[in-house]
């Protein structure tokens, strides 16, 4: 069964440093998403991406965040200057069509120290 | 407002019993709903979905019921097994143009052998 692959599985970074979280969506999917989950809390939407541009972003997704699809297979989330409160699980997802058939990756656990 | 909530934080059942996990959603305009299962350290795993033009959908051992009148969603798991132990989230798609999902808080299902 096709999978969404995320790397690394765990990233530890110092406050103020830049991090890039990487995702390889399912190959025939056209819609890409990032979500995050703070420990013990619900999954929160960050951003959706289609046709090489952001289609929607949440209030969490401020100027410190950016997304990119640098080639035909990768989808990245960059946090420019990490804060302690950015510590969370970050999930990438992709779908074949809008709002349908989501598949989530296993996540990257980001720990900011 | 934008919220999807769950009625019970933890549900404990005996192996072999049926489980019912409930969810309330607040936006009557939502037209697509998904149930996810999340095991510890993993990403959300798709279980079953339902569109707003349906009130019931069945899968293998799972049934989702949608009551649009009271904005209520439920997941029924038949013959619950130890492997069903996980956190279950409902999610709603409020804007099919972007595919954004709003998640509920989650219900922990504990299956006792």
């Amino acid at each position: 069964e096709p999978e969404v692959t995320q790397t690394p599985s765990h990233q530890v970074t110092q406050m103020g440093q830049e991090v890039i979280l990487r995702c390889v969506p399912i190959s025939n999917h056209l819609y890409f998403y990032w979500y995050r989950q703070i420990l013990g809390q619900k999954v929160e939407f960050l951003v959706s991406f289609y046709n090489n541009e952001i289609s929607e972003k949440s209030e969490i997704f401020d100027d410190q965040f950016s997304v990119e699809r640098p080639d035909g297979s990768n989808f990245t989330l960059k946090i420019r200057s990490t804060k302690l409160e950015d510590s969370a699980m970050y999930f990438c997802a992709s779908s074949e069509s809008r709002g349908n058939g989501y598949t989530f990756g296993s996540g990257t656990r980001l720990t900011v120290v | 407002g934008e919220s999807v909530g769950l009625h019970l934080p933890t549900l404990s059942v005996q192996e072999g019993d049926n489980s019912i996990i409930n969810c309330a959603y607040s936006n009557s305009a939502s037209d697509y709903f998904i149930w996810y299962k999340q095991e510890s350290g993993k990403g959300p795993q798709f279980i079953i979905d339902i569109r707003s033009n349906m009130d019931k959908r069945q899968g293998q051992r799972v049934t989702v019921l949608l009551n649009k009148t009271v904005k209520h969603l439920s997941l029924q798991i038949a013959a619950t097994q130890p492997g069903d132990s996980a956190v279950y989230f409902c999610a709603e798609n409020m804007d099919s143009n972007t595919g954004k999902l709003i998640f509920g808080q989650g219900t922990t299902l504990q299956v006792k052998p």
Side-chain angles (χ1 to χ4, degrees), chain B residues 43-82:
Chain B
Q45 178 186 356
F46 174 90
I47 302 172
I48 192 167
D49 59 0
I50 190 168
R51 296 211 170 267
S52 58
N53 60 352
M54 303 172 69
D55 53 21
K56 181 179 179 179
R57 190 154 187 243
Q58 287 184 294
Q60 187 176 14
R61 280 201 309 119
V62 294
T63 301
V64 55
L65 298 177
L66 175 63
N67 185 331
K68 294 182 287 294
T69 302
V70 295
K71 291 185 283 187
H72 184 267
L73 194 69
S74 68
L75 175 70
Q76 299 177 2
I77 304 173
T80 314
Q81 302 168 0

Side-chain angles (χ1 to χ4, degrees), chain A residues 67-104:
Chain A
V67 290
E68 190 178 29
R69 189 155 163 82
D71 52 42
S73 61
N74 291 284
F75 180 52
T76 62
L77 174 69
K78 181 192 291 186
I79 308 175
R80 193 166 61 200
S81 178
T82 49
K83 303 185 287 287
L84 294 176
E85 53 264 39
D86 293 328
S87 295
M89 283 288 287
Y90 286 81
F91 293 107
C92 174
S94 67
S95 64
E96 192 171 6
S97 60
R98 285 186 297 235
N100 192 15
Y102 270 71
T103 301
F104 281 82

Side-chain angles (χ1 to χ4, degrees), chain B residues 9-21:
Chain B
T10 302
L11 177 65
S12 186
V13 300
Q14 287 292 138
E15 182 179 356
D17 287 352
N18 296 333
S19 302
I20 299 176
I21 301 172

Side-chain angles (χ1 to χ4, degrees), chain A residues 35 37 42 56 98-99 102, chain B residues 32 36 38 96-99 101:
Chain A
Y35 289 78
Q37 184 178 33
K42 64 181 180 180
E56 186 174 357
R98 285 186 297 235
Y102 270 71
Chain B
Y32 180 55
Y36 285 98
Q38 188 178 28
S96 59
N97 284 329
T98 65
L101 292 179

Side-chain angles (χ1 to χ4, degrees), chain A residues 31 33 35 37 40-45 48-49 55-56 58 89 91 97-107 109, chain B residues 2-4 32 34 36 38 41-46 49 51 89 93 95-106:
Chain A
Y31 299 83
Y33 315 89
Y35 289 78
Q37 184 178 33
Q41 298 187 21
K42 64 181 180 180
V43 178
E44 299 175 289
F45 171 80
S48 58
F49 189 87
S55 45
E56 186 174 357
S58 72
M89 283 288 287
F91 293 107
S97 60
R98 285 186 297 235
N100 192 15
Y102 270 71
T103 301
F104 281 82
S106 294
R109 178 171 298 284
Chain B
E2 279 191 7
S3 67
V4 176
Y32 180 55
I34 312 173
Y36 285 98
Q38 188 178 28
K42 297 185 179 179
Q45 178 186 356
F46 174 90
D49 59 0
R51 296 211 170 267
F89 293 94
N93 180 218
D95 183 351
S96 59
N97 284 329
T98 65
K100 170 184 175 182
L101 292 179
I102 302 295
F103 280 78
Q105 293 290 348

